Amino acid sequence: MPIFSTYDGTTLAYRLVGEGEPLICLPGGPMRAARYFGDLGGLSRVRQLVLLDLRGTGDSAVPQDPSSYRVDRLVEDVEALRAHLGIEQADVLGHSASGELAALYAAAYPQRLRSLTLVTPGTGVLGLAATDQDRREAAELRAGEPWYSGARAALDEIQAGRATPEAWAGIRPFMYGRWDAAAQAHAAESPAQRNAEAGALYYPEDGLDTDATVAALRELPVPVLVLAGEYDGGPSPDRAAALAALFPHAEFVVQKGAAHFPWMDDPGAFVRAVTAFLDPGVSSVQAGGIRLAYRTWGDPSAPPVVLAHGRGGSSLDWAVVAGQLAARHRVYALDFRGHGLSDWPGRYSFEFFRDDLHAFLEARNLSGATVIGHSMGGAAALLLAERHPAMIGTLVIEDAPALLPLDPPRPRAERPEGELDFDWQVVPSIDVQMNAPDPAGRERLGDITAPTLVVGGSRSHIDQDQLTWMAQQIPGGQYVSVDAGHLVHTDNPQAFLAALRAFGVG
């Protein structure tokens, strides 16, 4: 295990997990060894996790001066680690009590920070301490759980001032979105991993200069992610939202079904949210209650073009075309729900994807933009153009189904083995609609007012006669065939772009 000497000569240890750019991860507890992070639900696949054992925990040495366990003094250990790693500006993640440590580090060393990720963070040293009422309200969300009565009794004991070790153990189920075997094993490791004496000294009795810290954080120039768990009581989502409001460049995410250890409760949701935040090429927006990730290219002041991918795809599918269009446009490519780095809520339909596109356009103030939709994304764009004609200025539909019943019907699809870049539930959900689509989708094509180009792939499995028919139903609609399969814009990008230019796009 790598070690280094910090400002007072204390030897601190850390572990490196995964590959990629380093992400300094500060453990909570307070003063719990970093081993409980594991690989943060698979985040190590996209970043190298630098898991620091705070002084006196795990494999780090016990300091000579116990007062150095104070959270404000631990800031210098974080800075010493950054210098040891040779990182000019660090990405820092703080969990639970170390969310406060990470915030204090940000206030003290803003020039040494590139991004700040606060996962179910403590909020007390910033004047936003969780209350007993917060914890009771969070607990009541779990009233239907079989373990609730015992855990609630333990919580009541603690809040009545009778905080025995048994009571602390009794409330552990509240800390997890699922009290399954993995959560129970994770919770059981906590006492041995935590330095209770150090934890008792973590928050100084004389307090901290909260006003000065908050004032510094209000000027913090770096992006901040505050991620809360839906079921967490410390902090509750409302308390975490108040924390996020302190920062000028903050993104706030509530992970559904999660509590205090969100990477345990839903690793995929956690990794998608954090990965999207840490990737400088990705932005996110809350649209209709769903977090939608998206990528951008081109001059922000140029005319906007929005790219909507097909089923099983993502914004990355458009990289080549987007790069070309960016010469004259501001290009936005979103990940629909259930795809890429956006939320995977588990329920899908053409109408939901239509609503994602609508909400994205409104959230980014892109009403009247050119919209280019491929396949499923094209169907969503058609439905939106029918329902809200003014939302789309120019419409390009790339090899999208005409929403006529499939003959023969599509059989039940078998999920392939291994991990997927999209939620498999999308496939059976959309197949059902393809077999028996809502007739309104094709009957209202005449309501579309945007200039519309339908681009088909001459070698596609999609019936091109149906695409020709679709274009004829749209007032002024045009159809053009390109020598390509279903993925026209990737099979033959230059011919696809030529068709767009001939139509006045690009």
Side-chain angles (χ1 to χ4, degrees):
M1 177 174 285
I3 60 172
F4 68 100
S5 292
T6 187
Y7 69 95
D8 63 352
T10 303
T11 301
L12 303 183
Y14 62 95
R15 289 187 301 123
L16 299 175
V17 180
E19 299 180 354
E21 291 190 73
L23 174 65
I24 294 176
C25 301
L26 308 177
M31 305 304 286
R32 182 175 177 180
R35 187 169 298 278
Y36 79 92
F37 277 137
D39 66 354
L40 279 176
L43 188 61
S44 60
R45 292 194 293 271
V46 295
R47 298 298 293 262
Q48 182 180 67
L49 309 182
V50 182
L51 306 178
L52 175 66
D53 281 342
L54 300 175
R55 56 178 55 215
T57 70
D59 292 313
S60 288
V62 174
Q64 291 186 348
D65 179 7
S67 71
S68 65
Y69 287 131
R70 287 172 46 130
V71 60
D72 52 337
R73 295 189 60 181
L74 293 174
V75 165
E76 299 306 322
D77 290 345
V78 180
E79 173 59 9
L81 174 58
R82 180 208 62 78
H84 165 75
L85 295 172
I87 303 171
E88 186 66 23
Q89 290 185 308
D91 295 313
V92 175
L93 180 151
H95 171 244
S96 191
S98 273
E100 293 160 298
L101 169 57
L104 290 172
Y105 177 77
Y109 291 99
Q111 74 280 9
R112 295 302 187 186
L113 195 64
R114 185 168 69 171
S115 72
L116 180 63
T117 302
L118 304 177
V119 179
T120 59
T123 54
V125 301
L126 302 178
L128 297 167
T131 66
D132 286 351
Q133 183 64 24
D134 290 342
R135 294 186 171 88
R136 286 194 296 271
E137 289 177 357
E140 288 164 7
L141 297 175
R142 319 297 295 281
E145 300 280 4
W147 45 261
Y148 173 76
S149 59
R152 180 56 191 265
L155 178 63
D156 291 343
E157 286 291 294
I158 291 170
Q159 294 192 343
R162 297 184 289 274
T164 64
E166 292 76 18
W168 285 116
I171 66 169
R172 288 176 185 166
F174 289 129
M175 307 294 282
Y176 298 85
R178 295 189 314 275
W179 188 235
D180 56 14
Q184 292 171 39
H186 189 263
E189 293 172 347
S190 178
Q193 293 173 342
R194 187 168 178 264
N195 182 337
E197 287 186 19
L201 298 172
Y202 188 80
Y203 297 108
E205 291 184 2
D206 55 350
L208 298 169
D209 190 344
T210 297
D211 291 342
T213 300
V214 168
L217 295 180
R218 290 193 185 280
E219 302 296 326
L220 191 68
V222 305
V224 177
L225 172 66
V226 178
L227 190 152
E230 178 186 11
Y231 297 143
D232 198 7
S236 66
D238 286 347
R239 197 72 56 185
L243 173 63
L246 297 180
F247 301 97
H249 307 289
E251 177 183 340
F252 175 58
V253 172
V254 178
Q255 185 171 317
K256 303 292 186 184
H260 201 61
F261 300 92
W263 65 91
M264 296 286 296
D265 299 324
D266 187 340
F270 176 79
V271 169
R272 286 189 295 275
V274 177
T275 299
F277 170 72
L278 292 174
D279 187 334
V282 177
S283 301
S284 294
V285 64
Q286 291 290 332
I290 299 291
R291 184 186 58 81
L292 297 177
Y294 65 98
R295 291 175 165 84
T296 55
W297 296 259
D299 185 344
S301 65
V305 171
V306 177
L307 306 176
H309 64 78
R311 187 173 74 174
S314 76
S315 55
L316 290 172
D317 296 349
W318 294 103
V320 172
V321 166
Q324 295 288 319
L325 290 173
R328 297 181 60 187
H329 296 274
R330 175 64 164 180
V331 181
Y332 300 79
L334 76 154
D335 290 346
F336 281 112
R337 69 177 67 202
H339 294 78
L341 296 177
S342 291
D343 284 347
W344 295 14
R347 297 177 62 234
Y348 307 102
S349 69
F350 284 126
E351 291 75 19
F352 280 137
F353 297 128
R354 173 203 65 200
D355 294 344
D356 284 348
L357 181 57
H358 188 188
F360 179 77
L361 293 173
E362 287 194 327
R364 294 292 82 191
N365 196 26
L366 295 172
S367 178
T370 294
V371 174
I372 303 174
H374 171 242
S375 194
M376 180 194 79
L382 282 169
L383 294 177
L384 179 58
E386 293 171 357
R387 191 171 190 179
H388 298 284
M391 288 300 300
I392 297 177
T394 300
L395 181 61
V396 178
I397 302 300
E398 178 196 346
D399 218 55
L403 299 182
L404 294 163
L406 292 181
D407 185 18
R410 187 169 289 174
R412 179 179 177 82
E414 294 295 327
R415 187 192 188 284
E417 296 183 0
E419 292 189 18
L420 300 174
D421 293 331
F422 67 99
D423 188 349
W424 175 253
Q425 186 55 42
V426 172
V427 172
S429 298
I430 295 302
D431 279 354
V432 168
Q433 286 195 287
M434 292 289 291
N435 287 337
D438 183 346
R442 56 185 181 273
E443 292 171 355
R444 295 187 60 184
L445 290 170
D447 294 342
I448 295 174
T449 60
T452 302
L453 174 68
V454 178
V455 180
S458 62
R459 294 179 275 108
S460 171
H461 67 279
I462 298 290
D463 187 333
Q464 298 300 294
D465 289 338
Q466 291 187 4
L467 295 190
T468 302
W469 173 85
M470 180 198 303
Q472 292 170 346
Q473 307 311 302
I474 300 171
Q478 300 179 34
Y479 168 80
V480 63
S481 178
V482 171
D483 180 20
H486 181 54
L487 294 164
V488 181
H489 70 272
T490 56
D491 288 352
N492 197 341
Q494 295 311 313
F496 179 73
L497 288 164
L500 296 185
R501 287 192 294 271
F503 189 63
V505 177

